[in-house]
Amino acid sequence: MAIRRTPATIGFVPTMGALHDGHLMLMREARRRCDVLVVSIFVNPLQFNDPGDLRRYPRDLDGDRLRCESVGVDLLFVPDSDRMYPDGFDTTIHVDRLTRGLCGAHRTGHFDGMATVVLKLFNLVRPHFAVFGEKDFQQLQVVRRMVRDLALPIEIVRRPVLREVDGLAMSSRNRRLDPEQRAQATALVAALEAAQAAAGRGERLSKKLIAAARAELSARPLVRPEYIEVVDSESLVPMTVVDDSSRILIAAHLGEVRLIDNGPVYPRAAGD
Ligand code: AMP
């Protein structure tokens, strides 16, 4: 890219589109730090273990274009699948230990597909930095590990989870919730808060915090928990006894929609 040969700083926000304020927050952060802001929209087939989920993933390219313009995106990159994965494509990026648990244990191949496309996008866009949200916490840690392990010359900037007024983490998938499901989806943030409250009262055992979180999910019949785990924020290894580095992560299904959320066990200590 000719821009790369100028002194301009290139900032990058990779997305799968159906953009919401969480994405725009990442773009504003990038805009502040760079001369040329590149956003990609690519619903990456490699990271969908469930073909139905890929088919149903929300798409809104016209709306996305307007949203990108509203925050001053310079270049919107919307590659198609055949260009990204031409016949004969044969390479996979695998980050090992960080992808074994949590979403990695439930979505076979998801993080390989994600890491592969992120590295390819990095090579196509050649940004100086890229902004990722803590909403996809395991993804963020996998990308950071890949960047370190492969010495990629890219800074990874992270931003906290942006939430709706009732606390639900913003997600493209929220559009697919019916009104009843949408009302019960706040169970995920209620579960995080219940665990945080228990930790705030001095509870140190992960299993007690998980039980407090699980009780919130169980109170909403439309919510089917997939996992609730307390892990070390860096290694993502489950912890028996929590400390300042602990993070609680949750995945749950409402009908066909799979939602995730996470937060530090000690919100203030972790700087959120
Ligand atoms: P996606 O389009 O879901 O692949 O997300 C693209 C980027 O936006 C990822 O870095 C996500 O972590 C981030 N993101 C999505 N939702 C939120 C949110 N509610 N708050 C902060 N970042 C988010």
Side-chain angles (χ1 to χ4, degrees):
M1 190 193 262
I3 297 165
R4 203 40 157 108
R5 290 191 287 273
T6 73
T9 305
I10 302 171
F12 180 41
V13 181
T15 81
M16 298 205 298
L19 301 176
H20 51 68
D21 286 351
H23 295 114
L24 298 191
M25 182 252 310
L26 304 186
M27 294 176 200
R28 287 195 188 94
E29 178 64 26
R31 179 71 285 172
R32 228 169 43 74
R33 295 168 176 249
C34 71
D35 301 306
V36 179
L37 172 54
V38 182
V39 168
S40 65
I41 295 178
F42 183 58
V43 183
N44 175 30
L46 274 196
Q47 72 189 65
F48 282 81
N49 52 315
D50 170 1
D53 191 27
L54 172 62
R55 214 174 34 247
R56 293 188 297 265
Y57 198 83
R59 290 166 172 85
D60 177 17
L61 194 51
D62 292 338
D64 288 348
R65 270 203 195 92
L66 294 173
R67 276 176 218 112
C68 286
E69 272 172 30
S70 77
V71 292
V73 172
D74 296 300
L75 205 151
L76 180 57
F77 180 42
V78 189
D80 63 37
S81 239
D82 299 343
R83 284 281 190 91
M84 289 296 276
Y85 304 120
D87 282 349
F89 187 92
D90 201 24
T91 299
T92 300
I93 300 294
H94 177 68
V95 176
D96 192 7
R97 279 167 304 206
L98 284 177
T99 65
R100 287 184 195 167
L102 303 165
C103 291
H106 295 271
R107 301 185 71 190
T108 311
H110 167 69
F111 287 112
D112 288 2
M114 183 281 293
T116 304
V117 81
V118 167
L119 180 57
K120 181 149 185 172
L121 290 168
F122 282 176
N123 284 330
L124 292 168
V125 174
R126 301 187 57 203
H128 295 87
F129 69 87
V131 188
F132 287 80
E134 289 181 348
K135 163 74 178 13
D136 299 271
F137 195 78
Q138 189 172 16
Q139 165 175 289
L140 167 71
Q141 298 302 31
V142 170
V143 169
R144 290 177 68 225
R145 186 78 256 164
M146 172 179 78
V147 164
R148 265 179 283 162
D149 287 353
L150 302 181
L152 305 180
I154 297 172
E155 183 194 351
I156 302 301
V157 176
R158 60 199 273 178
R159 302 297 299 150
V161 181
L162 195 70
R163 298 177 178 282
E164 304 285 358
V165 280
D166 64 0
L168 177 66
M170 289 187 185
S171 165
S172 305
R173 295 171 189 272
N174 294 350
R175 303 184 181 204
R176 297 187 37 236
L177 298 169
D178 69 27
E180 248 185 300
Q181 292 168 337
R182 171 64 186 82
Q184 295 197 12
T186 53
L188 277 83
V189 65
L192 292 179
E193 288 169 355
Q196 288 164 339
R201 290 192 299 271
E203 181 56 63
R204 293 283 176 276
L205 290 177
S206 292
K207 64 176 183 202
K208 292 280 179 58
L209 304 186
I210 291 169
R214 191 172 296 281
E216 291 295 327
L217 297 186
S218 311
R220 317 301 215 288
L222 299 181
V223 178
R224 284 177 289 119
E226 183 179 270
Y227 67 74
I228 307 172
E229 290 198 48
V230 174
V231 300
D232 174 78
S233 311
E234 293 295 314
S235 67
L236 304 183
V237 171
M239 303 177 92
T240 314
V241 178
V242 294
D243 64 25
D244 282 355
S245 73
S246 305
R247 199 145 183 121
I248 177 160
L249 291 92
I250 297 179
H253 293 262
L254 288 96
E256 288 180 328
V257 184
R258 181 177 181 276
L259 299 181
I260 55 173
D261 202 349
N262 72 89
V265 166
Y266 297 106
R268 255 162 285 144
D272 255 28

PDB file of all heavy atoms in Angstrom, residues 24 73 110 133 166 183 209 226 252 255 263:
ATOM      1  N   LEU A  24     -17.771   1.363  17.051  1.00  0.00           N
ATOM      2  CA  LEU A  24     -17.465   2.783  16.784  1.00  0.00           C
ATOM      3  C   LEU A  24     -16.524   3.345  17.848  1.00  0.00           C
ATOM      4  O   LEU A  24     -15.659   4.176  17.553  1.00  0.00           O
ATOM      5  CB  LEU A  24     -18.743   3.618  16.706  1.00  0.00           C
ATOM      6  CG  LEU A  24     -19.726   3.234  15.592  1.00  0.00           C
ATOM      7  CD1 LEU A  24     -20.812   4.300  15.450  1.00  0.00           C
ATOM      8  CD2 LEU A  24     -19.055   3.019  14.242  1.00  0.00           C
ATOM      9  N   VAL A  73     -13.671   7.134   9.155  1.00  0.00           N
ATOM     10  CA  VAL A  73     -12.841   6.036   8.621  1.00  0.00           C
ATOM     11  C   VAL A  73     -12.356   6.433   7.228  1.00  0.00           C
ATOM     12  O   VAL A  73     -13.124   6.939   6.410  1.00  0.00           O
ATOM     13  CB  VAL A  73     -13.678   4.730   8.553  1.00  0.00           C
ATOM     14  CG1 VAL A  73     -12.930   3.628   7.822  1.00  0.00           C
ATOM     15  CG2 VAL A  73     -14.066   4.291   9.960  1.00  0.00           C
ATOM     16  N   HIS A 110     -12.372 -22.430  15.938  1.00  0.00           N
ATOM     17  CA  HIS A 110     -12.714 -21.002  15.890  1.00  0.00           C
ATOM     18  C   HIS A 110     -11.475 -20.106  15.968  1.00  0.00           C
ATOM     19  O   HIS A 110     -11.295 -19.203  15.148  1.00  0.00           O
ATOM     20  CB  HIS A 110     -13.676 -20.668  17.039  1.00  0.00           C
ATOM     21  CG  HIS A 110     -13.840 -19.197  17.279  1.00  0.00           C
ATOM     22  ND1 HIS A 110     -14.494 -18.379  16.381  1.00  0.00           N
ATOM     23  CD2 HIS A 110     -13.410 -18.391  18.284  1.00  0.00           C
ATOM     24  CE1 HIS A 110     -14.472 -17.128  16.844  1.00  0.00           C
ATOM     25  NE2 HIS A 110     -13.822 -17.103  17.984  1.00  0.00           N
ATOM     26  N   GLY A 133     -11.454  -5.093  21.179  1.00  0.00           N
ATOM     27  CA  GLY A 133     -12.262  -4.909  22.374  1.00  0.00           C
ATOM     28  C   GLY A 133     -12.069  -6.051  23.359  1.00  0.00           C
ATOM     29  O   GLY A 133     -11.849  -7.198  22.956  1.00  0.00           O
ATOM     30  N   ASP A 166     -28.853  -0.971  30.010  1.00  0.00           N
ATOM     31  CA  ASP A 166     -29.205  -1.979  31.021  1.00  0.00           C
ATOM     32  C   ASP A 166     -28.061  -2.953  31.296  1.00  0.00           C
ATOM     33  O   ASP A 166     -28.243  -3.940  32.003  1.00  0.00           O
ATOM     34  CB  ASP A 166     -30.481  -2.746  30.623  1.00  0.00           C
ATOM     35  CG  ASP A 166     -30.295  -3.561  29.346  1.00  0.00           C
ATOM     36  OD1 ASP A 166     -29.193  -3.534  28.762  1.00  0.00           O
ATOM     37  OD2 ASP A 166     -31.264  -4.225  28.923  1.00  0.00           O
ATOM     38  N   ALA A 183     -34.755  -9.283  26.899  1.00  0.00           N
ATOM     39  CA  ALA A 183     -34.977  -8.925  28.306  1.00  0.00           C
ATOM     40  C   ALA A 183     -34.168  -9.847  29.223  1.00  0.00           C
ATOM     41  O   ALA A 183     -33.584  -9.400  30.215  1.00  0.00           O
ATOM     42  CB  ALA A 183     -36.460  -8.987  28.640  1.00  0.00           C
ATOM     43  N   LEU A 209     -17.798 -18.058  43.543  1.00  0.00           N
ATOM     44  CA  LEU A 209     -18.133 -16.940  42.645  1.00  0.00           C
ATOM     45  C   LEU A 209     -18.911 -17.457  41.432  1.00  0.00           C
ATOM     46  O   LEU A 209     -19.881 -16.831  40.982  1.00  0.00           O
ATOM     47  CB  LEU A 209     -16.858 -16.235  42.160  1.00  0.00           C
ATOM     48  CG  LEU A 209     -15.922 -15.706  43.260  1.00  0.00           C
ATOM     49  CD1 LEU A 209     -14.785 -14.912  42.633  1.00  0.00           C
ATOM     50  CD2 LEU A 209     -16.669 -14.841  44.259  1.00  0.00           C
ATOM     51  N   GLU A 226     -23.367 -21.914  28.764  1.00  0.00           N
ATOM     52  CA  GLU A 226     -22.400 -22.818  28.123  1.00  0.00           C
ATOM     53  C   GLU A 226     -21.200 -23.010  29.040  1.00  0.00           C
ATOM     54  O   GLU A 226     -20.801 -24.115  29.330  1.00  0.00           O
ATOM     55  CB  GLU A 226     -21.976 -22.266  26.768  1.00  0.00           C
ATOM     56  CG  GLU A 226     -21.036 -23.177  26.009  1.00  0.00           C
ATOM     57  CD  GLU A 226     -20.650 -22.608  24.665  1.00  0.00           C
ATOM     58  OE1 GLU A 226     -21.352 -22.876  23.671  1.00  0.00           O
ATOM     59  OE2 GLU A 226     -19.645 -21.868  24.608  1.00  0.00           O
ATOM     60  N   ALA A 252     -23.310 -18.095  26.964  1.00  0.00           N
ATOM     61  CA  ALA A 252     -24.645 -18.676  27.133  1.00  0.00           C
ATOM     62  C   ALA A 252     -25.413 -18.570  25.825  1.00  0.00           C
ATOM     63  O   ALA A 252     -25.124 -17.703  24.990  1.00  0.00           O
ATOM     64  CB  ALA A 252     -25.397 -17.944  28.242  1.00  0.00           C
ATOM     65  N   GLY A 255     -32.020 -19.234  22.698  1.00  0.00           N
ATOM     66  CA  GLY A 255     -32.456 -19.742  21.402  1.00  0.00           C
ATOM     67  C   GLY A 255     -31.224 -20.089  20.577  1.00  0.00           C
ATOM     68  O   GLY A 255     -30.331 -20.787  21.048  1.00  0.00           O
ATOM     69  N   GLY A 263     -15.576  -9.935  32.663  1.00  0.00           N
ATOM     70  CA  GLY A 263     -15.137  -8.763  33.406  1.00  0.00           C
ATOM     71  C   GLY A 263     -14.126  -9.187  34.450  1.00  0.00           C
ATOM     72  O   GLY A 263     -13.987 -10.382  34.751  1.00  0.00           O
TER      73      GLY A 263
END
